[in-house]
Amino acid sequence: MSLAINAPITTGGAQSFGVIAQSIGGGGGMTSSGGFVGSEGGSGDGGAVTVTVNANILARGAGANAIFAQSAGGSGNGDIAIDIENGIVTASGDSAATIRFADGAANSLINRGTVTTALGVAGLALQGSGGAQAVDNFGTLNGSVDLGTAANNFPNHAGALFNSGVTVNLGSGVLSNGGKLSVGGDNAISTTALTGNFAQGNGTSFVDADMAQPGAAASVDGLTVRGAANLSG
């Protein structure tokens, strides 16, 4: 399935998702309670899912993603591709990522706009499970990232800004920084725990420091890497 968003979307209320894009093979899909299931196991593939965004999306309800995309089938899953060409995509409810990938296979997000949360870096911007996610950030992305255990790669390209939250889980993938990486955002002391590998390219890793008073310990941003780190730049 292919879906293009060319006009603003604003929702309010629990489970009031901004965009739901699903391709389910073998039965299944969205339940009446607002929960989500995958394939019921019958024959059939989940097809490719493509979402293209050229407008603002704001999901304001508890548990509501701004974009939920899923491909699942009893015989296999398709690829999920989300392309934010323009606009601001935001989720402001409790317990909801702004963009959520469910299942799929070789999934991708290309962001040329802004992906953020109402809590800024304190919220969850991206969530993925079941497939492998490739995130190409050419715009602005604010918040934590949890993409599961696969090799999920995240190039932060030249001119892009990634204000990282407390968690960036890329499984065995790589966060490669060719733009600006600001741990916790500018003008705030924070720590980001990266599960995966880190490669510093020609970009900038911005670190805040509070030198405190004489005799007191200074406070600085921290990036902890649970994997390999290449800082040669």
Side-chain angles (χ1 to χ4, degrees), residues 20-137:
I20 299 172
Q22 287 181 300
S23 177
I24 305 296
M30 182 177 181
T31 68
S32 60
S33 65
F36 291 89
V37 297
S39 170
E40 293 292 345
S43 62
D45 293 336
V49 174
T50 301
V51 180
T52 304
V53 178
N54 275 289
N56 295 343
I57 302 174
L58 172 59
R60 297 185 297 185
N65 308 116
I67 300 174
F68 176 92
Q70 181 179 34
S71 176
S75 303
N77 304 340
D79 298 337
I80 302 169
I82 300 175
D83 188 356
I84 312 297
E85 296 182 350
N86 189 28
I88 302 171
V89 181
T90 312
S92 64
D94 295 334
S95 303
T98 297
I99 296 176
R100 179 182 169 194
F101 292 92
D103 303 308
N107 305 327
S108 64
L109 168 66
I110 299 175
N111 175 44
R112 301 182 189 275
T114 298
V115 176
T116 189
T117 80
L119 298 175
V121 297
L124 181 59
L126 305 179
Q127 185 177 30
S129 59
Q133 283 64 235
V135 177
D136 283 276
N137 186 36

Side-chain angles (χ1 to χ4, degrees), residues 210-220:
D210 181 356
M211 305 313 293
Q213 299 297 319
S219 297
V220 297

